[in-house]
Amino acid sequence: MEPAVLTLLLQALFVLLAFAWRTVAQLRETGGTGFVAHRERGLQAKAAGLALTGGLLAVVVGTALADTRGRWDAVAVLGVAAMLAGLLVTLIAQRAMGASWRIGVDTEERTELVTVGLFGRVRNPIFTGMLLFAAGSALTVPTVVTALGLVAALAGIVAQAQLVEEPHLRRLHGPAYDGYVARTGRFLPSRAGVAHE
C-alpha cells in the first residue's frame, strides 16, 4: 500500500475515533455532544478555530491530491509511527477528560479541571496528539499543501490554547489553575513538573 493511501486511511480512522466515536460517547455520558466552538466569542477565538480547522483540512486535501505512487522510505515510516502515536495520545487524553471533554469554549459553562493521566504532565495533550498526527501526515506525504496545513494547524492550536482556553480556565478555576500551570507544560511536559515530583 502506498504511503498516501495509508495516510488517508489513518486520517479517516482519526476522524472516526477522535471525533465521531468521541461525540457519541460524550452524548451517552452527558446528554451533550461536547461541541461548543460555535459559542466562542471574539476575533481571537474565531481566527484560532479557522486556522486550526483549515490547517487540518489542508493536510487531508494535500494527502488526497498527492501522487499515490510515492515510495516508502525511513521518513514515511517515521510519519506513520507519529500518526499512530498521535492517535493514541489523543484517544487516551479524551478518555481522561471524561465529561469535561469539549471542542471549543462556552464561557457560560463550568467544567471540572482535569489533572490526571496525561493531564498530570501536559495541559493540552489532545492538541499534542493532534499535532503529532498532523506532523506524521506531512512527513509521510510531504507536499507544499500538507506542510502549509501543518503550519496553519500549529498556529491555530497555539492560539486556541494560549489565547482562548487558558484564559477561560484561569477565570474558571483561579489559583488551582495557576498551580496546575506551574507544574505542567502547555504541549510537552515541563522541567518544573519533573522537578516537582
Side-chain angles (χ1 to χ4, degrees):
M1 181 179 298
E2 293 80 4
V5 173
L6 180 57
T7 300
L8 279 172
L9 290 174
L10 288 173
Q11 289 168 348
L13 182 65
F14 189 97
V15 170
L16 182 66
L17 294 177
F19 294 106
W21 177 80
R22 180 61 230 177
T23 301
V24 170
Q26 187 75 7
L27 193 56
R28 282 189 197 147
E29 186 177 341
T30 68
T33 64
F35 282 85
V36 296
H38 63 283
R39 298 180 197 157
E40 289 182 331
R41 298 184 188 106
L43 182 59
Q44 291 176 330
K46 300 297 182 192
L50 184 62
L52 171 55
T53 304
L56 294 176
L57 284 174
V59 170
V60 174
V61 169
T63 303
L65 295 176
D67 185 355
T68 58
R69 294 170 295 169
R71 303 243 183 256
W72 285 102
D73 58 16
V75 174
V77 172
L78 179 63
V80 170
M83 283 188 282
L84 293 172
L87 176 60
L88 186 62
V89 166
T90 301
L91 296 177
I92 290 170
Q94 285 178 332
R95 183 164 175 79
M97 281 199 81
S100 292
W101 179 77
R102 299 287 182 275
I103 292 182
V105 169
D106 181 354
T107 57
E108 308 288 319
E109 187 176 39
R110 181 176 180 83
T111 56
E112 294 300 315
L113 180 61
V114 178
T115 60
V116 298
L118 294 175
F119 290 91
R121 294 198 178 258
V122 179
R123 295 190 300 278
N124 298 286
I126 294 173
F127 283 156
T128 301
M130 291 171 67
L131 279 173
L132 190 54
F133 189 91
S137 295
L139 282 173
T140 307
V141 184
T143 68
V144 171
V145 177
T146 58
L148 290 175
L150 176 60
V151 170
L154 173 61
I157 283 173
V158 170
Q160 180 70 21
Q162 192 171 356
L163 303 176
V164 181
E165 293 187 7
E166 289 180 6
H168 169 70
L169 291 170
R170 187 165 278 114
R171 281 190 301 273
L172 208 58
H173 299 289
Y177 185 73
D178 291 331
Y180 177 58
V181 167
R183 64 180 186 273
T184 57
R186 182 174 284 132
F187 301 114
L188 297 171
S190 74
R191 291 182 191 261
V194 173
H196 185 72
E197 294 174 357

